Amino acid sequence: MPSLKDLSKKEELFSSGHRLCPGCGAPIIVRQVLLAVDTPVVVGCATGCLEVGTTIYPFTAWKMPWIHNAFENAASTISGVEAAYRSLKRQGKIDKEIRFIAFGGDGGTYDIGIQSLSGALERGHRFLYICYDNEAYMNTGIQRSSASPRGASTTTSPAGKAIPEGKTEYRKDLTQIVAAHNIPYVAQASPGYYNDLMKKVQKALSANGPSFINILSPCPRGWRYPADQTIEIAKLAVLSGFWPLYEIENGKYRITYKPRKKKPLKDWLESQGRFRHLLKEENKKVVEELQKNIEEKEKKLLALAGENA
Amino acid sequence: METIKAMTGDEVAAETIRQINPDVMAAYPITPQTEIVQIFSEFVANGLVDTEMVRVESEHSAMSACVGAASAGARAMTATSANGLALMWEIVYIAASLRLPIVMPVVNRALSGPINIHCDHSDSMGARDSGWIQLYSENCQEIYDNLIQAVRIAEDKSVLLPVMVTFDGFIISHGTERVKILEDEQVRKFIGKYNPRYPLLDIDNPVTYGPLDLFDYYFEHKRQQVEAMKNALDVIKKIGGEYAQLSGRSYDLIEEFGSPDADLVVIAAGSTAGTVKGAIEELKEEGINAKLLKIRAFRPFPQDEIKQSLRKVAVVAVMDRSASFGAVGGPIFLEVRSALLDEERRVPVVNYIYGLGGRNIGIEDIKKVFQDLIQIKKTGKVKNLVNYLGVRE
Amino acid sequence: MKEKGWKDVPLGGLILEAGSAKEYLTGTWRTFRPILDEKKCKHCLICWIYCPDSSIIVEDGKMKGFRYDYCKGCGICSTECPFKAIKMVEEAKYKAEKEGEKQNGNN
């Protein structure tokens, strides 16, 4: 990866003037992803914070060809663009090398978009799908998605008198679901570790087939923390074991970052208002179970990577 | 040099798509459209087309992929029926709003529920507000001719709207007829090269498709679609004239059949128009003068042509192969009636809703309709404004 | 910006000017603004890679300041700077002080 100094000389294809919240994780992710891209690229976006905040007519923050179609079909829309490219290239009507990136939030990827993502992955289109995972339907007001972690208080799973826990279900492991499609490259990343993220984007784009990177996108508004903490929280997610950084290259697992000093899960929970209720006595057992869950997942991941706990 | 082939509707559709040779074809199977995508898959497998086939995992993704491909700058097509069209409904609207010239055969089949795989027009009628141009085909020849013209109509710079070419499920899609097929080169020349508007793959001129369009601009963009539909009326006629020069078969927004000065008229769309023609020929032998006004283009609605055609008639029956539950009559009836409101002379217009879920309709049924019209003409009285032809009471 | 009629906007809601968002000055959102202490800055560019609004000015590999036209005052740069070279000051206070300086300058 080139140094930040070298990267700073690149023309950025994502402009200022977008209307995402101050401190939002999504535009940080987009900037880092695009800095890692070295070929012309066409971008597709699912409906969501990123799409809505960056393209309020007549303003667009995107400086490359960009398409938004609907909520659940970023993958099938980009499939069409990629198929058009393959067709026109084969017919000799285009000779440029162009790559295709689809951005979808967790809502548009884990839930309503999972079918179109799965179809696109199985068909083998050469595209990179990036899920910016802020763990809820943030754009419509912080409603829970299947990516919301167990214990999170969201507007459709609020912590209340009868259900003090908040969301009672563990989150879906979409990265594993995507891995089961046996595509050439799958990874998890965090904007707090930009070198790791950008390396993964480059590997993904050079794969000759579909690739997927699940990137944690902290949300100051939805997770309830001060806007300046986004990167700290993006790091804390990794350090606490909540969001491990790993990649699967042609089926081979590799943990790409091992924190020298781990942070306790308690730090992760205390850093965000969405978990505040978990610190109450009545939710003590839930926190223990969450801790156990993280440890089990870590063991599983180590085993998949061929390492011992 | 034309060749004459014996083909079913689905076979013709597949053959026409082969001649059109779109850059991208999204395919998802649904009865009675499946033969189209199966036959086309063989063309792809045998290297007979340049088409990139995207075997999507749902109709919603089929139209999504078409939107992506058309925005990218490719000629994109797909085909569907009934619930497939219903599933892609969200994206069908988006395709029209993005002004993408996608052409799609819709093999008319009843919308569930209960599930029924046979013919009626509830699927395409359900999409009549979507912004797509809708051409109804009477028979296999028309499928061929309509699909070829559809490419030119859709891509016309004053239109830029997607076109659905419908034909009746099983009745036409699976019935064999004689079809006159042009040479590949003739079709290729007629449809010409595609000059996409602001393609995504033109990376030197990056554009944004599908922004958030709030209350300050959404209305203006919709008004543009209205204008495009208006322009389509002339374009459909123009392309019909050009096609006549190529094939010898002329096409317009509507078709009239029977005695031009007959004052008994039945309005119909799809294969039933053919049945009406048969009934009219038999009635002629019986000394009764009758006329068919066939709707070819339902969207845009050819109001002026319909008014012109009905100017001298005494009584009109409109046949609808779909119901609009809660409305007073079917969709074609309501729009014809509305068109005649401003006419100086008030003419009785009655509705026959028929053939739902593939319920058969034959020449005898149509003759009964004409007998009803004769009664109305004689007595001046309309017994039932909306009738259900063929249902068991 | 005067709103255009339906005949004057591109068909289908397409936006033909890439990056037109730059005309929307999000700097007006700020309640805090970042101030750089040039003496402490080591030009590591950590602030630049983490800014959600591309509001860190970098020229020739050197941190030159902030794009106040767009900076929303989130404070990520200040929090992440390893050398504590960026501090966040209240926008209103800063503006008032600047006004004050201007007044004094005029006297």
Side-chain angles (χ1 to χ4, degrees):
Chain A
M1 271 310 304
S3 65
L4 290 183
K5 266 195 175 53
D6 289 330
L7 288 173
S8 73
K9 301 196 173 117
K10 264 181 118 167
E11 189 212 348
E12 288 200 54
L13 294 178
F14 186 67
S15 84
S16 310
H18 62 72
R19 291 185 237 177
L20 294 157
C21 296
C24 174
I28 305 175
I29 290 170
V30 170
R31 282 190 63 222
Q32 290 179 5
V33 167
L34 293 176
L35 282 168
V37 176
D38 287 316
T39 55
V41 70
V42 175
V43 171
C45 242
T47 311
C49 280
L50 181 63
E51 169 262 326
V52 156
T54 58
T55 58
I56 301 174
Y57 191 88
F59 304 104
T60 177
W62 304 89
K63 294 161 91 173
M64 80 292 276
W66 183 95
I67 180 166
H68 158 249
N69 186 351
F71 190 12
E72 64 281 70
N73 61 5
S76 41
T77 304
I78 279 288
S79 292
V81 180
E82 190 262 8
Y85 172 68
R86 268 212 296 234
S87 180
L88 295 175
K89 202 152 185 251
R90 202 172 7 89
Q91 297 176 61
K93 294 177 181 167
I94 291 188
D95 60 356
K96 293 199 169 94
E97 280 298 302
I98 304 176
R99 295 279 171 266
F100 303 93
I101 300 180
F103 284 99
D106 52 292
T109 309
Y110 282 63
D111 293 344
I112 198 172
I114 198 172
Q115 177 205 290
S116 85
L117 173 61
S118 178
L121 296 177
E122 181 270 332
R123 285 190 300 273
H125 296 278
R126 185 172 179 174
F127 76 115
L128 164 58
Y129 192 103
I130 293 193
C131 178
Y132 65 98
D133 187 349
N134 53 27
E135 302 189 331
Y137 290 93
M138 291 308 186
N139 193 229
T140 45
I142 319 169
Q143 294 88 18
R144 66 87 103 190
S145 76
S146 64
S148 308
R150 182 183 171 204
S153 182
T154 70
T155 53
T156 47
S157 65
K161 294 203 188 77
I163 309 175
E165 191 176 342
K167 184 178 185 247
T168 55
E169 304 85 7
Y170 286 102
R171 69 197 301 271
K172 203 189 266 190
D173 192 341
L174 183 69
T175 313
Q176 286 297 296
I177 293 174
V178 169
H181 288 70
N182 298 315
I183 60 174
Y185 189 79
V186 181
Q188 263 184 198
S190 158
Y193 299 88
Y194 54 86
N195 258 320
D196 178 83
L197 189 154
M198 292 193 284
K199 266 199 220 124
K200 285 169 172 163
V201 170
Q202 292 198 326
K203 275 192 181 173
L205 288 172
S206 63
N208 193 6
S211 51
F212 175 87
I213 307 179
N214 205 350
I215 308 183
L216 188 68
S217 183
C219 169
R221 179 65 190 85
W223 297 11
R224 301 205 291 282
Y225 63 81
D228 68 300
Q229 293 296 304
T230 293
I231 296 301
E232 290 308 293
I233 290 189
K235 288 179 181 163
L236 190 50
V238 178
L239 296 170
S240 65
F242 177 79
W243 190 263
L245 300 182
Y246 67 99
E247 67 184 1
I248 313 168
E249 234 178 321
N250 295 309
K252 195 163 185 312
Y253 277 74
R254 191 173 76 87
I255 299 169
T256 59
Y257 176 74
K258 290 209 183 95
R260 253 171 293 144
K261 199 162 158 246
K262 282 212 204 129
K263 290 272 173 87
L265 184 67
K266 204 161 123 303
D267 286 8
W268 168 248
L269 299 176
E270 281 175 354
S271 67
Q272 303 151 59
R274 63 175 172 156
F275 295 127
R276 185 173 298 122
H277 57 285
L278 291 180
L279 306 170
K280 288 196 199 143
E281 187 59 34
E282 56 188 340
N283 281 319
K284 194 156 158 234
K285 191 155 176 293
V286 176
V287 176
E288 284 169 15
E289 287 171 3
L290 291 179
Q291 179 70 58
K292 232 211 275 155
N293 180 262
I294 297 229
E295 286 161 14
E296 278 170 16
K297 292 217 327 251
E298 193 181 355
K299 259 202 229 122
K300 264 201 204 135
L301 183 59
L302 285 167
L304 285 165
E307 299 179 32
N308 297 316
Chain B
M1 258 303 292
E2 246 176 20
T3 40
I4 298 178
K5 294 194 174 158
M7 296 180 121
T8 64
D10 274 358
E11 286 169 354
V12 170
E15 174 66 6
T16 325
I17 299 173
R18 182 192 68 78
Q19 291 192 313
I20 293 171
N21 196 18
D23 301 307
V24 173
M25 171 87 172
Y28 193 79
I30 180 168
T31 309
Q33 156 266 47
T34 39
E35 271 68 20
I36 302 178
V37 297
Q38 284 171 188
I39 297 169
F40 194 76
S41 298
E42 288 183 19
F43 295 150
V44 173
N46 289 321
L48 298 176
V49 286
D50 295 314
T51 315
E52 185 76 23
M53 197 154 170
V54 188
R55 297 158 186 93
V56 285
E57 75 299 334
S58 85
E59 287 93 346
H60 189 281
S61 288
M63 189 48 62
S64 301
C66 283
V67 165
S71 306
R75 256 196 190 130
M77 295 181 70
T78 187
T80 196
S81 301
N83 286 49
L85 182 60
L87 184 60
M88 54 163 83
W89 197 81
E90 179 192 23
I91 312 303
V92 159
Y93 272 66
I94 291 173
S97 73
L98 289 177
R99 310 300 297 273
L100 300 170
I102 298 166
V103 173
M104 171 168 74
V106 172
V107 188
N108 284 125
R109 162 185 145 172
L111 285 173
S112 305
I115 183 168
N116 171 296
I117 58 170
H118 289 280
C119 171
D120 75 28
H121 295 166
S122 52
D123 52 4
S124 52
M125 282 300 169
R128 64 192 187 276
D129 289 343
S130 62
W132 281 57
I133 291 171
Q134 295 186 321
L135 300 177
Y136 281 77
S137 312
E138 178 192 324
N139 52 39
C140 290
Q141 185 66 60
E142 293 202 354
I143 299 172
Y144 182 73
D145 297 336
N146 280 339
L147 279 173
I148 293 171
Q149 293 173 69
V151 177
R152 287 284 305 281
I153 295 165
E155 294 175 7
D156 189 285
K157 291 280 184 266
S158 72
V159 174
L160 292 173
L161 291 175
V163 180
M164 54 177 88
V165 173
T166 78
F167 54 99
D168 286 356
F170 283 112
I171 301 167
I172 301 298
S173 68
H174 286 63
T176 306
E177 295 180 26
R178 288 171 91 245
V179 188
K180 295 182 182 163
I181 306 282
L182 300 163
E183 281 176 20
D184 288 1
E185 192 47 42
Q186 289 177 294
V187 174
R188 223 138 281 175
K189 227 172 128 208
F190 185 82
I191 62 177
K193 235 183 72 169
Y194 178 36
N195 290 315
R197 170 188 176 252
Y198 304 117
L200 290 170
L201 293 174
D202 180 6
I203 49 180
D204 298 323
N205 295 296
V207 291
T208 284
Y209 271 76
L212 175 66
D213 210 22
L214 294 168
F215 41 73
D216 53 349
Y217 273 104
Y218 178 88
F219 206 164
E220 280 67 30
H221 293 127
K222 293 291 127 183
R223 175 65 184 84
Q224 291 174 337
Q225 282 181 250
V226 171
E227 197 66 14
M229 273 291 188
K230 254 197 242 162
N231 295 339
L233 288 163
D234 285 332
V235 172
I236 291 171
K237 288 167 98 97
K238 178 182 85 173
I239 301 295
E242 274 186 50
Y243 193 74
Q245 300 214 341
L246 171 67
S247 66
R249 296 180 292 278
S250 64
Y251 284 87
D252 204 317
L253 296 159
I254 58 169
E255 180 193 324
E256 291 169 293
F257 179 89
S259 318
D261 54 352
D263 59 7
L264 309 167
V265 185
V266 164
I267 300 182
S271 66
T272 303
T275 314
V276 175
K277 286 178 183 173
I280 287 173
E281 283 175 343
E282 282 192 17
L283 287 171
K284 193 155 181 229
E285 316 245 303
E286 296 165 24
I288 298 171
N289 271 348
K291 192 164 94 157
L292 160 72
L293 165 51
K294 180 175 103 182
I295 305 277
R296 172 175 176 246
F298 182 67
R299 283 289 180 266
F301 188 69
Q303 182 168 267
D304 292 343
E305 284 72 16
I306 289 173
K307 280 156 75 166
Q308 175 75 6
S309 175
L310 300 177
R311 202 140 273 157
K312 304 224 173 81
V313 306
V315 40
V316 182
V318 181
M319 319 248 347
D320 269 299
R321 199 160 195 160
S322 66
S324 180
F325 300 104
V328 182
I332 305 179
F333 169 72
L334 289 168
E335 296 200 28
V336 166
R337 217 159 172 237
S338 168
L340 297 178
L341 186 64
D342 297 322
E343 291 293 89
E344 281 182 10
R345 194 172 53 97
R346 193 147 166 259
V347 163
V349 182
V350 287
N351 191 201
Y352 289 83
I353 295 182
Y354 73 98
L356 301 188
R359 177 60 50 90
N360 198 29
I361 182 131
I363 287 180
E364 287 312 309
D365 302 300
I366 306 295
K367 281 163 96 172
K368 265 201 224 104
V369 170
F370 276 113
Q371 287 303 333
D372 287 352
L373 292 182
I374 291 170
Q375 272 302 105
I376 296 172
K377 185 175 156 200
K378 210 187 335 184
T379 64
K381 284 202 173 38
V382 170
K383 241 198 293 180
N384 289 314
L385 188 62
V386 183
N387 305 276
Y388 297 88
L389 188 58
V391 74
R392 293 180 300 275
E393 293 294 342
Chain C
M1 198 202 291
K2 186 169 183 292
E3 286 161 350
K4 299 198 176 126
W6 65 268
K7 294 184 196 160
D8 300 318
V9 288
L11 299 177
L14 266 61
I15 302 177
L16 306 180
E17 197 203 321
S20 59
K22 68 181 189 302
E23 292 168 39
Y24 194 92
L25 305 181
T26 50
T28 55
W29 294 14
R30 264 196 315 274
T31 47
F32 282 85
R33 70 157 55 194
I35 302 285
L36 178 67
D37 184 343
E38 290 180 34
K39 291 197 284 314
K40 293 193 180 149
C41 175
K42 300 276 185 288
H43 306 284
C44 66
L45 303 188
I46 292 280
C47 55
W48 169 81
I49 193 69
Y50 285 139
C51 176
D53 293 279
S54 314
S55 293
I56 305 288
I57 303 172
V58 179
E59 277 164 25
D60 227 0
K62 297 254 186 308
M63 199 291 195
K64 282 287 170 32
F66 306 95
R67 286 193 184 93
Y68 290 110
D69 277 346
Y70 302 106
C71 168
K72 294 168 184 157
C74 70
I76 288 178
C77 55
S78 169
T79 300
E80 295 307 311
C81 176
F83 306 103
K84 306 240 183 309
I86 300 174
K87 78 170 176 199
M88 303 301 291
V89 303
E90 268 189 62
E91 181 77 4
K93 255 203 212 137
Y94 175 87
K95 283 225 168 96
E97 276 176 24
K98 283 288 171 211
E99 261 312 301
E101 282 173 20
K102 231 206 302 184
Q103 301 278 19
N104 289 336
N106 286 339
N107 283 349

